[in-house]
Amino acid sequence: MKSHSFKYTLFFYFIGLQTVFAQYTEVINSNKPGFSESPYSVGTGVYQFESNLFFRNTKIEPTFSRPQSFGFDMLFRTSLFLEKLELNAQVSYNRDKVAFKNIFTSHYFDTGFSRFTIGAKYLIYQQEYEDKSKEVRSWKRRNAFDKKRLIPSVAIYAGLNTDMVNDYYKTGNMSPKVGVLLQNNLSNQFNIITNVFYDKIGTDFPELSYIITGTYNFSDRWSTFIENQTIFQEFRNVTNLGTGLAYLYNKNLQINASGRFLAEGTAAGFYAGFGVSYRINKHKDSYKEVDENGREVKNTPITRYNKKKNGFFSRLFSIFTKKKDNKSSKKRTRKKRKRKN
C-alpha cells in the first residue's frame, strides 16, 4: 500500500515544479533545470538548494567578448514566515574566457562571482480547479477542459543585485530587480510558466527579459521541458532555446540535465548543464478547528497555537533549535479509586 500511495502522490505533482493546490508538497518542487521561476514557494520549514554545473561556449565577437564559461550556480530557497512568501538567494561562480578580437585575437581567463542576488516572491493569486475525478454521472463533463486553467496563478518578485561580482560583471553599484511570475496548469501533466523581469534598474546596463517554459510529466519519476528565454539589452539581444530532463530520485532529491542553443548578438553557441536539487524538510502542517458546516472556528486553543507557532522570532530561531525527544516526556496517569465495601 505504501508503494502505491507514493506513486499516486508523485503522479499528482509536477516533478521539478510547484504544486497546483498548495505551497508545500510531499515531493521536492525545484525550478531546475529551467531558468524560469514558478510563482509558488517551497513552503514553510523547507530549506532547499538547487545547484547547477554548466559549460557555455560561443564564437568570439569583435572587440571584447566572453566566448566561454565554466561555472557553478546555486539557488537557495526557503519560507520562514508566511506560506506564500519565499526568500531566496542566487550565486554563480564562473571561470570565463575573455577574448579581444580586432586586427589580432587574444584572450585571458578570469575567475570570480558573476551573480550574487537576494530576493523574495509573494503569491498574490492562486488559481484553483475542479476535482473532476469525483464526477461519475457524465463522462463528457468529467473529461471536459476546465476553462479556469487559462487563468494563471500570479506572484510578484523583488530582488537586489549586490554587485559583489567579478569586474567583468560589475554595473557600478547595487541595483534592483523586479518581475511577474505566472503559471498555467493546463492539465495534471502539463503546465506553462511565464516570467517577465526588469533587471539592473538604474544602471548603465538595464535588461528587460521574458522566459516561457512548458513542462510535461510523463511518468512518476521523469519529466521534460522546453524553454525560450530572451534578454533585451541596449546594444544586443541574447536568446536561448533549451530542453532537458529531470529525474526524481526520492521525495527530497532531484537530478536533472539540460542543453541549450545560444544566440548572443551575432555569436552562436551552446550551453550544457547538470544539476542536483535537494531539500531539508522541516515542514509542519498547521491545524484548524472547524464547525459542523466546515467553517473555521477562530480564537480557539488551536488557532492560538498556530499564531504562536508562526511568530517572527519563533520562526527565526526554530532553525537552530533541536526537536525534543518524545521519549523523555512524562505522561500523567490517574490513580484508580478503591471502592469501600
Side-chain angles (χ1 to χ4, degrees), residues 210-226:
Y210 73 84
I211 311 175
I212 301 176
T213 308
T215 302
Y216 182 74
N217 177 27
F218 53 81
S219 77
D220 58 357
R221 296 278 182 176
W222 291 92
S223 68
T224 187
F225 82 99
I226 186 169

Side-chain angles (χ1 to χ4, degrees), residues 38-213:
S38 168
Y40 298 101
S41 76
V42 292
T44 54
V46 174
Y47 311 97
Q48 188 158 308
F49 302 86
E50 302 178 8
S51 66
N52 182 47
L53 187 68
F54 65 87
F55 177 75
R56 169 192 158 277
N57 190 76
T58 62
K59 294 181 179 180
I60 298 177
E61 292 184 284
T63 65
F64 283 99
S65 63
R66 185 174 55 97
Q68 194 176 97
S69 298
F70 176 73
F72 179 77
D73 182 85
M74 172 66 75
L75 174 64
F76 171 71
R77 305 169 60 194
T78 188
S79 296
L80 293 178
F81 315 116
L82 302 172
E83 190 79 10
K84 294 182 178 181
L85 175 67
E86 177 181 296
L87 307 178
N88 54 60
Q90 187 165 17
V91 178
S92 297
Y93 191 82
N94 299 6
R95 185 177 187 268
D96 297 315
K97 178 181 179 180
V98 181
F100 176 82
K101 181 180 181 181
N102 196 350
I103 299 175
F104 60 90
T105 300
S106 63
H107 70 269
Y108 66 91
F109 289 94
D110 201 8
T111 302
F113 290 104
S114 61
R115 181 188 307 179
F116 199 135
T117 304
I118 56 175
K121 64 180 178 183
Y122 184 76
L123 182 71
I124 59 177
Y125 175 74
Q126 180 177 357
Q127 182 61 278
E128 297 182 358
Y129 314 105
E130 297 179 10
D131 182 8
K132 295 189 176 183
S133 63
K134 298 179 181 179
E135 178 59 56
V136 295
R137 293 174 295 179
S138 172
W139 180 91
K140 183 177 180 181
R141 186 174 179 181
R142 182 177 181 177
N143 292 275
F145 179 74
D146 187 354
K147 293 181 180 179
K148 290 182 180 179
R149 294 183 178 274
L150 298 176
I151 302 174
S153 297
V154 183
I156 53 175
Y157 171 90
L160 181 68
N161 301 304
T162 65
D163 212 37
M164 297 169 55
V165 293
N166 207 4
D167 290 340
Y168 188 89
Y169 299 94
K170 284 186 178 294
T171 58
N173 57 285
M174 294 189 295
S175 61
K177 176 182 179 180
V178 296
V180 177
L181 317 176
L182 310 175
Q183 179 166 329
N184 295 85
N185 296 286
L186 300 181
S187 72
N188 288 337
Q189 291 80 31
F190 179 69
N191 69 19
I192 295 177
I193 293 177
T194 305
N195 295 170
V196 178
F197 290 108
Y198 186 29
D199 198 3
K200 301 177 183 179
I201 303 171
T203 71
D204 295 331
F205 312 96
E207 296 179 352
L208 181 64
S209 65
Y210 73 84
I211 311 175
I212 301 176
T213 308

Side-chain angles (χ1 to χ4, degrees), residues 243-260:
T243 186
L245 292 171
Y247 175 72
L248 186 69
Y249 183 79
N250 60 43
K251 66 179 182 179
N252 294 318
L253 178 63
Q254 176 190 283
I255 303 170
N256 59 76
S258 63
R260 297 172 184 272

Side-chain angles (χ1 to χ4, degrees), residues 241-290:
L241 180 64
T243 186
L245 292 171
Y247 175 72
L248 186 69
Y249 183 79
N250 60 43
K251 66 179 182 179
N252 294 318
L253 178 63
Q254 176 190 283
I255 303 170
N256 59 76
S258 63
R260 297 172 184 272
F261 168 77
L262 305 178
E264 301 182 356
T266 59
F270 69 91
Y271 172 103
F274 176 82
V276 175
S277 298
Y278 178 75
R279 71 174 182 178
I280 301 172
N281 185 8
K282 300 293 183 182
H283 177 80
K284 292 183 179 179
D285 291 323
S286 298
Y287 299 95
K288 292 183 180 181
E289 187 174 348
V290 296

Side-chain angles (χ1 to χ4, degrees), residues 24-40:
Y24 170 78
T25 62
E26 293 295 331
V27 178
I28 185 173
N29 41 55
S30 173
N31 290 316
K32 302 297 182 183
F35 290 165
S36 63
E37 188 170 347
S38 168
Y40 298 101

